[in-house]
Amino acid sequence: MTEILARDVMIKDVHTVSADRKVAFARLMMLRHNIGALPVVDNKRVLVGIITQRDIDLAGSDVSDLFVSDLMTRSLVKANETSPLRWIVEQMIKTGIQRIPVVDGDSRLLGLVTQTSVIKASLMYNLLK
């Protein structure tokens, strides 16, 4: 059987936010879509960071004047479409991160591999054995 790759399990329809939006907007998007993080992209969909609900929670109660760029994580573990799922899982375990963005050669966001998508892929693989 061929190796499972990032493109096989990534979420392709990813909600994103720009760095110049208010944190309150990002929080509202996460609540509305029941997600815990938003990749931060520029106007060409180049990945520049990620903001999580945890980032917002740790910032304290008054984040009304903050921008996404104030709280986002800029240094990211990223994958490409052909990154093996095994490598992605190793990165998640080693770093404790729950989401790994998938980008192209120009760092444009293509998708997101989450712990949930990894679990779903594992279940599918086991069912097909």
Side-chain angles (χ1 to χ4, degrees):
M1 179 169 222
T2 61
E3 190 167 27
I4 301 171
L5 305 177
R7 69 173 165 235
D8 301 323
V9 300
M10 70 182 185
I11 299 164
K12 295 176 183 155
D13 185 23
V14 180
H15 297 282
T16 63
V17 68
S18 61
D20 61 352
R21 295 303 298 252
K22 292 278 192 167
V23 169
F25 175 80
R27 177 187 285 173
L28 182 61
M29 279 189 68
M30 288 184 225
L31 287 170
R32 281 191 178 159
H33 298 289
N34 194 30
I35 54 177
L38 291 167
V40 183
V41 296
D42 69 10
N43 60 353
K44 294 182 180 170
R45 205 161 165 83
V46 171
L47 182 69
V48 296
I50 194 164
I51 186 165
T52 67
Q53 185 61 52
R54 186 169 191 265
D55 295 330
I56 296 169
D57 292 344
L58 290 174
S61 59
D62 187 18
V63 295
S64 57
D65 289 333
L66 296 179
F67 290 93
V68 168
S69 60
D70 296 325
L71 297 182
M72 71 183 192
T73 301
R74 297 170 193 273
S75 177
L76 303 173
V77 174
K78 298 177 266 189
N80 61 51
E81 286 185 296
T82 59
S83 295
L85 184 59
R86 177 179 307 280
W87 179 85
I88 292 170
V89 170
E90 288 170 358
Q91 297 308 305
M92 288 178 167
I93 292 168
K94 184 168 66 174
T95 62
I97 57 177
Q98 299 176 7
R99 302 156 192 93
I100 295 186
V102 180
V103 297
D104 68 10
D106 295 320
S107 291
R108 283 189 300 266
L109 183 67
L110 300 173
L112 193 65
V113 177
T114 66
Q115 286 181 341
T116 302
S117 60
V118 168
I119 292 167
K120 286 179 182 176
S122 298
L123 289 173
M124 288 299 295
Y125 175 74
N126 287 333
L127 291 174
L128 297 175
K129 264 186 153 180

